[in-house]
Amino acid sequence: AAKTPKAVSFEIIKNTQGVFAVVSGYNYSDIGQDIKKISQDFKKGTVFAILDGITDEGNFGAILRNCSAFGINGVIIPSDRSAGANSRVSRISSGALEEVKVYKITNIVRTIKLLKNSGFWIYGTSLSSEKNLIDALYAEYMFPAAIIFGNEEKGMGRLVEDNCDVLVKIGQSGRMQSLNVAVSAGIMFYIIKNIRQKNKI
């Protein structure tokens, strides 16, 4: 018997600029397989970004672009309450979506524990103004590492924050005491890039 053809989903794009194509859905990478490879190959300089509830597609696309610019190895996002890979994100990322690996997982805390068991250090970025947080510029970074960025308004979830090894904040001197999450990610990635270059990892 003939097989029933699979349904093809289409996304309507208003500004085609004279080009039309049918493409398959985005294929997310497998975090378990890649962590195993990293452990086997001793890639100590690996850095992942974990996005805990980043729902704005513009922020997601901009973070992917930052990842490409500063050599971040991959982005981990939850399957629920998160922006995902689509054509708008791809456009905003200026093609970085096709270059940077994106992992979709079901549970961030479980993934953090998987990373820790594989030798990763977990750094959380906080919106809090508490004085006991470490300034990101002066924190001691160990690799491989994962940097967590929380929701645009609420920050990281409590359980996610509790499972971080170190909590850092970006020191600010102006009247504006909050930064867009994509801007924060760019600053953190720049700091990490400099440390990796300095230590040749």
Side-chain angles (χ1 to χ4, degrees):
K3 293 184 178 179
T4 303
K6 293 183 179 179
V8 178
S9 60
F10 295 91
E11 185 173 354
I12 304 301
I13 302 174
K14 293 181 181 179
N15 183 15
T16 64
Q17 298 181 335
V19 179
F20 177 80
V22 177
V23 297
S24 60
Y26 182 81
N27 292 319
Y28 292 95
S29 299
D30 188 310
I31 188 66
Q33 288 184 2
D34 282 4
I35 289 177
K36 186 176 180 180
K37 290 177 183 178
I38 291 166
S39 299
Q40 290 174 342
D41 296 341
F42 299 102
K43 295 179 181 177
K44 293 183 179 180
T46 298
V47 179
F48 290 137
I50 301 177
L51 309 186
D52 182 14
I54 303 298
T55 58
D56 184 89
E57 292 178 344
N59 284 333
F60 183 34
I63 289 171
L64 287 169
R65 187 171 181 174
N66 289 337
C67 287
S68 175
F70 296 114
I72 302 302
N73 300 95
V75 178
I76 300 169
I77 62 172
S79 55
D80 296 327
R81 296 183 294 279
S82 175
N86 58 37
S87 61
R88 182 168 183 266
V89 169
S90 180
R91 289 196 302 277
I92 293 169
S93 75
S94 297
L97 177 60
E98 285 68 44
E99 177 188 343
V100 179
K101 286 189 174 184
V102 179
Y103 307 90
K104 181 179 280 190
I105 50 92
T106 56
N107 187 285
I108 290 181
V109 173
R110 192 180 304 138
T111 300
I112 289 173
K113 291 179 179 178
L114 175 64
L115 288 166
K116 283 187 174 185
N117 288 337
S118 299
F120 278 74
W121 287 76
I122 311 299
Y123 297 85
T125 57
S126 178
L127 301 173
S128 174
S129 59
E130 293 181 19
K131 294 182 179 179
N132 61 346
L133 294 176
I134 301 173
D135 189 307
L137 192 60
Y138 305 110
E140 182 179 357
Y141 295 94
M142 305 292 289
F143 300 93
I147 316 297
I148 305 178
F149 301 92
N151 175 266
E152 291 91 336
E153 296 180 1
K154 300 177 181 178
M156 291 181 293
R158 183 182 60 82
L159 288 177
V160 172
E161 184 173 314
D162 288 346
N163 279 274
C164 292
D165 295 310
V166 181
L167 293 176
V168 300
K169 64 178 179 180
I170 296 173
Q172 299 166 59
S173 59
R175 288 191 295 176
M176 183 64 69
Q177 289 298 303
S178 63
L179 292 172
N180 172 275
V181 66
V183 173
S184 296
I187 294 171
M188 289 298 303
F189 297 161
Y190 178 73
I191 292 172
I192 294 296
K193 185 266 297 182
N194 285 341
I195 293 170
R196 290 162 90 186
Q197 286 185 342
K198 181 180 179 181
N199 295 322
K200 298 181 180 179
I201 56 176

